[in-house]
Amino acid sequence: MSTILIIFCVLAAITLSTAFLTIFSRNPIHSALYLVICFFSIAGHYLLLNSQFLAIMHLIVYSGAIMILFLFTIMLMNLNKENEVHKPRITRLGAIVSFCLICIVLILVFINSKPIIGEYVHTGEDYQSIKVLGHVLLNEYMVPFEFASILLLVAMIGAVLLSKKEKTGK
Amino acid sequence: MNNILNEIGIENYIFLSTILFCIGIFGVLYRRNAIIVFMSIEIMLNAVNLLFVAFSTYHQDAQGQIFVFFSMAVAAAEVAVGLAILVSIFRNLGSIDINNLKNLKG
């Protein structure tokens, strides 16, 4: 068992356990903090796959922006633990059963498709440095890149409009 | 670091992101708090992103990572608008229990 495999197993264990804790913890703030740890370990996976720029972007966007947004919303809402109602037992049982079924079916499908996966060959070509990524992004994917900026602008305007208090005079 | 997929194997990444995606589905089905449902959606998006990056390394192609950038932009926009909607729901109803949102039910 090599060192890289051990690192992968530890990171995977952290990812899965914090994802479960995100769902199961009662307090939404604890959920958000567990989700931050989950995102950090996913960034660790990206680093393990040698894509540094993506790991940094993931940290900035997810742990920096999205989780801060989540935490501020949770603070705005003043959620109490007492008035949190759980779903009825039959619904929760159905959720657990469907989770197990989906998991088993998908994993069995992927195990049986294993012979199709070929051997990994490394050619030594540079494909994930910032230079190459910028070339591909601004040459082949120029139009989707501009559309992403329009999407972000529209989302910003929409968020401001939605969260503004209505000033109707009634 | 060049032969990372030789040591780990692409199938381990497939299993990891499958389980992560299933955890996201489970969270959407299990909880009633709308914020936790949003977090589960983020977990699902991240599982798919992880698989994109793993296959980008597998095929040694940058396009998988470019796609992850676009999906990050979409996720950020989705979270901003969704949380604004949640805040206005909380202002109107006083809770974010998704079982209270059945005005369209006949």
Side-chain angles (χ1 to χ4, degrees), chain A residues 29-158:
Chain A
I29 292 197
H30 290 174
S31 293
L33 293 179
Y34 285 129
L35 197 57
V36 170
I37 302 175
C38 184
F39 286 161
F40 266 95
S41 65
I42 288 176
H45 280 296
Y46 292 163
L47 276 183
L48 203 60
L49 286 170
N50 207 7
S51 50
Q52 299 98 352
F53 181 60
L54 198 58
I56 300 297
M57 284 306 294
H58 185 269
L59 278 188
I60 292 173
V61 172
Y62 276 100
S63 315
I66 292 182
M67 292 321 294
I68 294 296
L69 209 57
F70 266 115
L71 283 175
F72 267 98
T73 315
I74 292 170
M75 279 196 288
L76 273 180
M77 285 184 183
N78 185 23
L79 297 172
N80 292 324
K81 273 176 282 182
E82 295 90 55
N83 52 23
E84 153 115 36
V85 201
H86 275 282
K87 280 193 174 177
R89 180 163 292 163
I90 182 75
T91 316
R92 279 189 280 162
L93 198 67
I96 292 172
V97 167
S98 57
F99 165 69
C100 296
L101 278 180
I102 292 172
C103 232
I104 290 170
V105 167
L106 282 178
I107 285 181
L108 283 182
V109 164
F110 288 131
I111 284 177
N112 285 328
S113 72
K114 196 180 169 186
I116 301 176
I117 297 171
E119 272 303 302
Y120 170 69
V121 278
H122 182 74
T123 53
E125 181 192 359
D126 177 26
Y127 60 95
Q128 55 188 3
S129 65
I130 300 177
K131 199 175 161 189
V132 177
L133 282 181
H135 264 291
V136 176
L137 191 61
L138 290 183
N139 285 327
E140 295 173 40
Y141 290 89
M142 186 72 200
V143 181
F145 184 72
E146 299 293 341
F147 274 117
S149 68
I150 296 176
L151 174 76
L152 287 176
L153 178 70
V154 171
M156 192 171 73
I157 297 172

Side-chain angles (χ1 to χ4, degrees), chain B residues 43-96:
Chain B
I43 290 176
M44 282 196 266
L45 281 170
N46 269 292
V48 178
N49 282 354
L50 180 62
L51 203 58
F52 263 125
V53 179
F55 271 100
S56 161
T57 308
Y58 180 72
H59 289 295
Q60 301 181 46
D61 196 341
Q63 307 199 4
Q65 301 195 11
I66 302 292
F67 215 88
V68 172
F69 289 141
F70 290 129
S71 110
M72 270 184 195
V74 172
E78 172 242 337
V79 163
V81 176
L83 287 180
I85 291 175
L86 277 190
V87 168
S88 75
I89 285 175
F90 183 75
R91 272 200 204 124
N92 287 324
L93 294 183
S95 80
I96 49 167

